[in-house]
Amino acid sequence: MDYKNELNKNQYEAVSSNEQYLRIIAGAGSGKTRVLTYRIAYLIDVFKIRPYEIVAITFTNKVAKEMRERTASLLPDFNLAGLSISTFHSFCARFLRVEAENLGISRNYTIYDDDDTSRLIKMIGVDKGYKKTDEIVTQAMNYIGSKKMQGLLPSEVKLKLNGNPREKTLLEFFKEYEYRKNEAGALDFDDLLIYTIKILREFPEVRARYTGKIKHILVDEFQDTNDVQFELLKLLTDRETCVYVVGDPDQTIYTWRGANQKIILEIDKVFSPMKTIILNENYRSTTKILDASNKLIAFNKERVKKDLYTNNKDGEDITLKSLDSSIAEANFIANTILELKEKDKDFKYKDVAVLYRSSYLSLKIENAFTTRGIPYQVYGGLKFYSRKEIKDALAYFHILFNDKDDISFLRIINFPRRGFGDKSIDKLRNEASTLNKGMLEYLRMIKHLRTELKPSLVDAMEDLIEKLDETKKKLNLNLEAYSEVLDQFLKNIGFYKAIQDTEEDDDKLQNVHALIDDIRNYLKEHPESNFEEYLQNITLMTSQDEIKGDDNVSLMTVHTAKGLEFNYVFVIGLNDGVFPNQRAINERDQDGLEEERRLAYVAFTRAKKKLYVTLNRDYSYVSSSTNVPSRFIKEAGLQIPSFTYMGVSLDSSQNNSSNNLYFYDSRKNNEGTGIFKKATKPMKGFTELNIGNGVNWKVGDTCKHSVFGAGKVTKVDGDIINVIFDDFGSKVLLGTHKALSKVED
């Protein structure tokens, strides 16, 4: 293979370098996946590294699959058996299937997804006397998630003397959660990493076996690595291991999940000497899209300096559109898509993506698309594997292999209906708990025990257990296709009939049939795999893994869009407080703002041919204010359309930008309106104005309404005010409404 002629100069250097430690800073659209794939091929083809000595870590299962397929096509004459390309979680799941017994964990563990974890914590809350909806239960979920993201188990959490008084209660939730999960023979996502690290730390002979085998570790999307993942990487290396990381600090957008940008910026302090190669030739976008993106990201300080360039055409100007309302914004997007389709005979809806900072922004877009018959798919919402009927079927499949899995068992205990109510379920749980057994484990022995359960319930469970055992025996014999055995099992237990008795039965049935097809296809494509690995694989699926090639417009958050590209991209809701998100800035100040800017950079660089940026001047009940243009628009070198507010023309130097602030004094000028001033710092005697909020209302202000007459302000919440009127009593009003004015003392 002629590597040199198939890669540009920097790509070839990144692929062929014989340095032990390499950091590849790969800008958006610079051929990152291509470089990684060619690097793996080069290691095997030129450096003669055996495939089983290579471990490559990707961000999603979808990318892992693509890289395996590309590597196989580059090396058609090589046997690639043992080549490991997977996500961190998938790597650890496979590791624990082999090594978990070192910690006394069964190899047949179940993986709990976020929904399973949530159900278990709510169950614990109820048992402690709380309601599922109580604040303490939500706090427990967040607390447990935060601690485990740091790689901590309950025994490693140290309570501070003057800390949060509720933390003791939250820690008790954490302890009970770990106890019940372990008793059920289950691990959650975080456990996969935590227990892999624990084994590698505590069993030197196990670590030596893996570091002796692994000669090269390659990590994709390294900018989103968290501290726990980095610790795992270090434990999988010794002095001889070659480490190759690829990422872009300008695209670090997952710090809220624990991603630590300093890892990619400072990795050369851990693995030294480390060579850094920058890939900055972009093959995706036009020059005009890249110019705006480069200008925007240059405002960030925490980065490796680089400017993307391209040999593509200059391309079309970026379209910036400011609309009066969110409905008008949605209509503009829908109409533009229809115009694109009319002008271009080769146009495909799947070439278009609408990206937003927060998922609630999709509603108006969906309405506009539905009205006009534009096909679309929302990604990052309810995934296929998260639908009730699919979760129910998978719960049955999980308990085929794990009698201790109470979460899965509780999900299906009364579907199809078997007469179990809350009281009988509580009796079953208590009786099983007394003997320290899982519920299904207990039911297997219930005939020999004294129980308060009705005989009809015991008989129903005995029938289910018989069908479970019969199915498990067939799967173990492996004489029939797994998919057919499972399909027959669902028929035998009345699962399909139960679905037919519900609403929307056709869609639900089709979804379950699609699941059976998915199992059949997976095992056909992975003959070396088994059904348990299939269950493990889908539990680790991400939003991006769901994206298919159907001809639909893609609607998704910017987080979901990372790594994707589209001919036409609409980045919507470019309003301050929305994008950048005000809460992110409030919580993390400059760090929060820089991450929001990186998100906008990621959004802009998804576009190949044409970028549309839209905003609106609507009142937002989410931010409790009238929308103003995002500071990112000006930073990207785009001209914000001017608009008039209270008789004053406001240009692109909007409030909250880094250059100018507007201030307002409600004292009347000659035209009868308040006085506006523009300055670079606060002005004495003037109130800083969040443009669009209208009068700066305070509790106690006297007001006059053209219909309700005189009143007094009793509460202020952003632009929403409560007023008690002399003749009409209490009203909740929009403070910016033209019918309302302040009466000066």
Side-chain angles (χ1 to χ4, degrees):
M1 190 192 313
D2 189 356
Y3 294 93
K4 201 163 190 175
N5 284 328
E6 293 188 25
L7 302 162
N8 68 34
K9 180 183 175 184
N10 288 11
Q11 287 177 337
Y12 178 70
E13 184 184 6
V15 164
S16 62
S17 175
N18 60 4
E19 298 284 342
Q20 182 179 4
Y21 303 132
L22 280 162
R23 173 175 57 182
I24 313 301
I25 303 296
S30 63
K32 171 176 61 68
T33 305
R34 180 181 181 83
V35 165
L36 265 170
T37 308
Y38 272 72
R39 174 65 173 180
I40 294 170
Y42 199 90
L43 290 175
I44 297 169
D45 182 20
V46 180
F47 288 162
K48 305 305 178 187
I49 304 299
R50 288 166 288 201
Y52 61 79
E53 296 176 326
I54 299 171
V55 169
I57 302 295
T58 63
F59 193 67
T60 66
N61 291 297
K62 183 180 180 183
V63 171
K65 181 182 177 184
E66 288 175 1
M67 283 181 61
R68 275 193 297 270
E69 291 170 350
R70 286 197 200 182
T71 304
S73 67
L74 289 174
L75 302 174
D77 300 327
F78 285 78
N79 180 357
L80 300 179
L83 174 63
S84 175
I85 305 177
S86 67
T87 63
F88 271 115
H89 288 94
S90 294
F91 174 86
C92 292
R94 284 201 309 277
F95 175 92
L96 291 173
R97 293 291 177 199
V98 178
E99 307 293 347
E101 289 178 354
N102 285 288
L103 295 176
I105 299 170
S106 168
R107 293 180 182 182
N108 295 322
Y109 62 82
T110 298
I111 300 177
Y112 279 1
D113 64 13
D114 293 339
D115 185 48
D116 298 326
T117 294
S118 173
R119 288 161 68 91
L120 178 55
I121 295 171
K122 286 177 182 177
M123 187 192 304
I124 293 167
V126 170
D127 289 347
K128 286 179 175 291
Y130 301 105
K131 294 178 182 176
K132 291 179 182 178
T133 53
D134 281 353
E135 184 183 15
I136 189 70
V137 178
T138 302
Q139 288 178 345
M141 290 181 192
N142 294 334
Y143 180 81
I144 293 169
S146 171
K147 295 302 178 188
K148 298 202 76 168
M149 191 190 297
Q150 298 170 47
L152 298 175
L153 294 172
S155 61
E156 298 165 316
V157 176
K158 307 299 180 190
L159 294 178
K160 297 177 182 176
L161 285 175
N162 299 316
N164 181 354
R166 271 198 164 183
E167 188 173 3
K168 186 176 180 182
T169 303
L170 297 175
L171 183 55
E172 289 303 318
F173 265 91
F174 192 4
K175 290 176 180 176
E176 185 66 16
Y177 167 76
E178 288 299 312
Y179 173 76
R180 295 197 191 185
K181 179 170 55 62
N182 293 340
E183 285 296 302
L187 301 178
D188 61 29
F189 287 163
D190 292 311
D191 288 333
L192 298 176
L193 276 75
I194 290 171
Y195 287 122
T196 297
I197 288 172
K198 195 173 181 64
I199 291 170
L200 291 171
R201 276 181 182 159
E202 296 180 7
F203 297 89
E205 70 281 4
V206 176
R207 183 184 178 194
R209 189 166 7 107
Y210 280 84
T211 56
K213 173 186 167 186
I214 300 169
K215 303 300 182 188
H216 288 261
I217 297 182
L218 303 90
V219 186
D220 189 15
E221 302 288 6
F222 194 68
Q223 75 281 345
D224 288 321
T225 301
N226 63 35
D227 293 340
V228 176
Q229 292 165 342
F230 191 44
E231 180 63 21
L232 174 60
L233 172 64
K234 289 185 285 187
L235 285 168
L236 289 171
T237 64
D238 60 18
R239 292 180 181 179
E240 306 301 320
T241 314
C242 294
V243 176
Y244 188 97
V245 301
V246 182
D248 182 5
D250 288 339
Q251 297 185 70
T252 304
I253 60 173
Y254 285 103
T255 59
W256 52 280
R257 280 192 195 165
N260 182 352
Q261 191 187 23
K262 290 190 182 300
I263 293 174
I264 190 171
L265 294 175
E266 300 176 1
I267 187 176
D268 54 328
K269 295 177 182 176
V270 178
F271 296 103
S272 180
M274 174 167 272
K275 183 179 178 68
T276 297
I277 299 170
I278 294 178
L279 307 180
N280 58 349
E281 181 176 355
N282 177 285
Y283 292 90
R284 176 189 299 154
S285 306
T286 65
T287 297
K288 288 187 176 177
I289 292 170
L290 292 185
D291 283 349
S293 303
N294 285 331
K295 287 175 183 174
L296 173 67
I297 201 63
F299 280 83
N300 274 9
K301 294 183 173 64
E302 292 290 320
R303 61 189 298 257
V304 175
K305 191 177 185 310
K306 69 178 185 307
D307 275 335
L308 293 179
Y309 73 94
T310 184
N311 289 314
N312 295 336
K313 297 177 181 177
D314 280 357
E316 297 182 51
D317 288 338
I318 296 171
T319 295
L320 174 63
K321 197 73 174 176
S322 176
L323 289 308
D324 288 335
S325 68
S326 57
I327 293 176
E329 185 179 13
N331 289 339
F332 164 76
I333 293 164
N335 292 337
T336 302
I337 290 171
L338 292 177
E339 288 172 10
L340 289 170
K341 182 173 177 59
E342 188 176 337
K343 290 176 183 175
D344 183 357
K345 60 181 176 58
D346 296 322
F347 174 87
K348 297 281 192 301
Y349 286 114
K350 66 182 179 183
D351 292 333
V352 181
V354 180
L355 309 183
Y356 33 80
R357 174 61 181 85
S358 302
S359 56
Y360 73 85
L361 293 168
S362 76
L363 178 59
K364 300 289 197 305
I365 308 295
E366 291 186 60
N367 291 342
F369 283 7
T370 301
T371 302
R372 292 163 176 78
I374 297 174
Y376 69 90
Q377 178 69 50
V378 179
Y379 296 101
L382 189 61
K383 300 185 289 184
F384 176 82
Y385 296 111
S386 298
R387 294 168 189 166
K388 181 186 181 302
E389 62 275 15
I390 301 302
K391 294 278 287 182
D392 289 344
L394 290 173
Y396 271 110
F397 298 161
H398 278 301
I399 62 173
L400 278 167
F401 299 99
N402 186 356
D403 282 358
K404 293 177 176 288
D405 186 358
D406 280 354
I407 292 296
S408 293
F409 182 70
L410 279 173
R411 185 173 190 97
I412 56 82
I413 190 171
N414 212 34
F415 188 83
R417 291 191 181 279
R418 299 185 177 94
F420 276 88
D422 289 344
K423 289 183 179 179
S424 53
I425 290 173
D426 285 341
K427 286 177 185 176
L428 174 57
R429 283 179 58 206
N430 291 333
E431 290 179 15
S433 178
T434 301
L435 295 179
N436 200 24
K437 298 288 183 184
M439 283 182 274
L440 186 56
E441 266 188 315
Y442 173 72
L443 285 166
R444 288 185 179 279
M445 53 197 293
I446 199 171
K447 284 285 189 182
H448 309 291
L449 301 168
R450 183 173 293 174
T451 178
E452 293 185 19
L453 292 177
K454 294 177 183 176
S456 60
L457 299 179
V458 174
D459 290 343
M461 285 294 105
E462 191 173 43
D463 180 63
L464 173 61
I465 289 170
E466 185 179 325
K467 290 181 169 66
L468 284 167
D469 289 346
E470 179 186 331
T471 302
K472 190 169 183 178
K473 184 178 179 181
K474 287 183 179 180
L475 291 174
N476 288 335
L477 287 171
N478 199 20
L479 299 175
E480 304 171 68
Y482 281 156
S483 54
E484 305 310 314
V485 173
L486 296 169
D487 185 47
Q488 191 60 48
F489 168 65
L490 293 179
K491 286 177 186 172
N492 290 344
I493 62 173
F495 188 87
Y496 289 140
K497 186 177 185 306
I499 286 179
Q500 287 173 321
D501 292 340
T502 64
E503 296 178 5
E504 302 174 2
D505 56 305
D506 286 344
D507 286 344
K508 291 180 183 294
L509 271 176
Q510 287 173 8
N511 286 338
V512 179
H513 290 151
L515 175 67
I516 299 297
D517 283 339
D518 193 45
I519 294 168
R520 183 184 295 116
N521 292 333
Y522 178 85
L523 295 174
K524 184 179 177 182
E525 291 176 11
H526 304 83
E528 78 289 349
S529 189
N530 58 42
F531 182 56
E532 287 175 86
E533 287 184 19
Y534 169 81
L535 290 176
Q536 168 186 299
N537 187 57
I538 62 172
T539 307
L540 299 173
M541 290 283 275
T542 68
S543 300
Q544 281 201 8
D545 297 325
E546 294 272 321
I547 296 173
K548 299 178 176 65
D550 299 333
D551 195 22
N552 298 313
V553 175
S554 296
L555 273 63
M556 63 183 79
T557 64
V558 182
H559 285 100
T560 302
K562 185 159 171 286
L564 304 178
E565 58 183 39
F566 303 88
N567 284 343
Y568 307 98
V569 170
F570 293 82
V571 183
I572 73 170
L574 258 290
N575 295 101
D576 248 33
V578 179
F579 200 176
N581 180 276
Q582 192 59 48
R583 187 174 67 179
I585 298 173
N586 290 344
E587 290 176 353
R588 297 178 56 232
D589 298 324
Q590 187 63 26
D591 287 343
L593 177 59
E594 290 212 356
E595 179 144 352
E596 291 295 300
R597 193 175 283 116
R598 291 194 295 268
L599 264 174
Y601 175 77
V602 167
F604 287 8
T605 54
R606 299 311 93 197
K608 294 167 70 176
K609 291 171 63 174
K610 174 75 175 178
L611 174 63
Y612 299 84
V613 177
T614 68
L615 62 146
N616 67 72
R617 300 186 294 276
D618 223 343
Y619 178 82
S620 169
Y621 285 91
V622 175
S623 63
S624 299
S625 64
T626 303
N627 287 327
V628 297
S630 168
R631 68 196 77 186
F632 294 161
I633 294 173
K634 183 181 180 185
E635 290 176 357
L638 305 176
Q639 183 65 37
I640 301 171
S642 62
F643 61 100
T644 301
Y645 179 75
M646 292 183 70
V648 177
S649 179
L650 304 175
D651 63 13
S652 59
S653 302
Q654 82 280 10
N655 190 48
N656 291 333
S657 76
S658 55
N659 295 328
N660 292 289
L661 300 172
Y662 282 101
F663 296 89
Y664 176 69
D665 189 333
S666 57
R667 292 171 295 181
K668 301 292 185 289
N669 61 17
N670 293 336
E671 286 75 38
T673 65
I675 303 167
F676 280 93
K677 295 282 186 183
K678 187 164 69 176
T680 56
K681 60 183 181 180
M683 296 166 59
K684 188 175 180 180
F686 284 76
T687 302
E688 184 178 344
L689 174 67
N690 182 0
I691 292 175
N693 279 1
V695 180
N696 182 30
W697 293 106
K698 299 187 298 294
V699 173
D701 281 346
T702 302
C703 66
K704 184 177 181 181
H705 192 280
S706 60
V707 175
F708 301 132
K712 215 161 200 62
V713 176
T714 59
K715 182 179 178 183
V716 178
D717 186 4
D719 273 5
I720 303 298
I721 63 173
N722 291 44
V723 180
I724 293 182
F725 290 98
D726 296 344
D727 298 327
F728 287 86
S730 181
K731 301 286 182 185
V732 180
L733 306 171
L734 182 60
T736 56
H737 199 283
K738 61 184 179 182
L740 196 62
S741 60
K742 183 186 287 191
V743 177
E744 296 297 335
D745 293 336

